[in-house]
Amino acid sequence: MVFGRGTRLLAGAMTVACVVLVGPSARNGAHAGSAPVEPDRDIVANRVMTWNICNPCKASDVGKAAEIAAYAPQVIGLQEACVRDVEWIREYLERLHGLVYHVSYGSVLHNWNRCGGVPWSPGGYGQAILSAAPMTDRVNVEYPDGGSEDRGYLAVTTSVDGQPVRVFNTHLAQRRQETVRADQVGVLAEEVARHERAIVIGDFNAVPDASELTGMWALAEDTDPECRPASTGACKTTTDWQSKFDYVFLRGATSLGHRVHPSEYSDHDMLYADVDLT
């Protein structure tokens, strides 16, 4: 039997509606009595992504999940992330795209205006890491000075391309707060330096030649070879205002390639890197 386009669209809409009605809290029984969703594609075992998903942009979590699923990274670092939005993104990745991820949260702020909830129990806001492999040794650190808003980093140990690696996900202070960011980089770099192999991802709110990033450049290199403090090459921008703020810093690893993917769902672009840890 051949179904028309309208029928297929109705079926797709009903699938999304069912997910919305059931909700993330039903994860453990999500597929009881039904066949699991076939993955859109295999997870890419050596791929790491960073994405500031923008809050309060109020964009579609279904759309964000679809964009992530198109590249199926092993590890995803999200910034400006409300716990509830991450729960939905993770749920859509599994139910609509067949991609299953573990999650660790690095909330540094609980704010009802940003993340909903109720006044006495507001939603968590900050960083999150999704990984296709289990994560251990989670550490969530709030910087002593967040600047105009609380900021911090989340660190876990997980597997990328079958190799154990320490992954850091951070979001530094907003623009025009250079001295605050410099102090934050100092806190982060001190911890990164303890590891021979590390991947540091996030929104640093600073261009490559900004002085506050000196501590990171002393420890690692960005996945984009054109993005260096003294580079004259074509460093790809990662924001709507044509600045490079988002990084995948590699320590004890090599970049095999990267891509910046513009997104309609955020004022930051998705950035992913394929890495070699052997």
Side-chain angles (χ1 to χ4, degrees), residues 55-226:
N55 179 291
C57 288
K58 307 299 183 185
S60 164
D61 290 331
V62 173
K64 293 173 186 174
E67 290 204 346
I68 292 170
Y71 302 102
Q74 174 81 2
V75 171
I76 307 153
L78 302 176
Q79 303 90 42
E80 294 195 17
C82 291
V83 169
R84 183 172 177 80
D85 284 328
V86 176
E87 288 176 342
W88 280 114
I89 290 169
R90 183 175 174 231
E91 195 75 14
Y92 291 136
L93 283 167
E94 179 175 352
R95 293 205 189 184
L96 302 182
H97 304 282
L99 302 175
V100 180
Y101 288 96
H102 304 268
V103 64
S104 285
Y105 294 104
S107 298
V108 294
L109 181 68
H110 288 81
N111 188 289
W112 180 74
N113 289 326
R114 274 196 179 274
C115 295
V118 290
W120 55 89
S121 183
Y125 170 83
Q127 287 70 248
I129 295 176
L130 304 181
S131 176
M135 292 175 276
T136 61
D137 303 321
R138 171 188 170 274
V139 174
N140 186 37
V141 174
E142 185 174 336
Y143 293 125
D145 183 0
S148 56
E149 182 179 81
D150 295 345
R151 295 290 163 92
Y153 73 80
L154 170 66
V156 300
T157 298
T158 189
S159 176
V160 175
D161 201 21
Q163 301 294 322
V165 63
R166 193 69 171 164
V167 176
F168 296 80
N169 181 19
T170 192
H171 187 192
L172 301 190
Q174 294 172 347
R175 289 176 290 176
R176 296 180 294 278
Q177 299 180 77
E178 293 84 355
T179 57
V180 175
R181 287 197 298 274
D183 290 342
Q184 293 172 347
V185 168
V187 173
L188 176 63
E190 182 177 359
E191 182 61 26
V192 173
R194 297 178 58 245
H195 302 273
E196 293 183 1
R197 175 184 288 168
I199 299 174
V200 187
I201 57 182
D203 174 5
F204 284 73
N205 269 317
V207 294
D209 62 355
S211 60
E212 60 265 35
L213 295 188
T214 300
M216 281 307 306
W217 289 118
L219 295 172
E221 292 188 348
D222 184 56
T223 183
D224 187 343
E226 301 297 334

Side-chain angles (χ1 to χ4, degrees), residues 228-249:
R228 300 286 186 270
S231 175
T232 58
C235 178
K236 292 184 178 179
T237 62
T238 63
T239 66
D240 285 356
W241 46 94
Q242 300 301 304
S243 295
K244 160 78 171 180
F245 281 177
D246 304 272
Y247 297 82
V248 177
F249 282 111

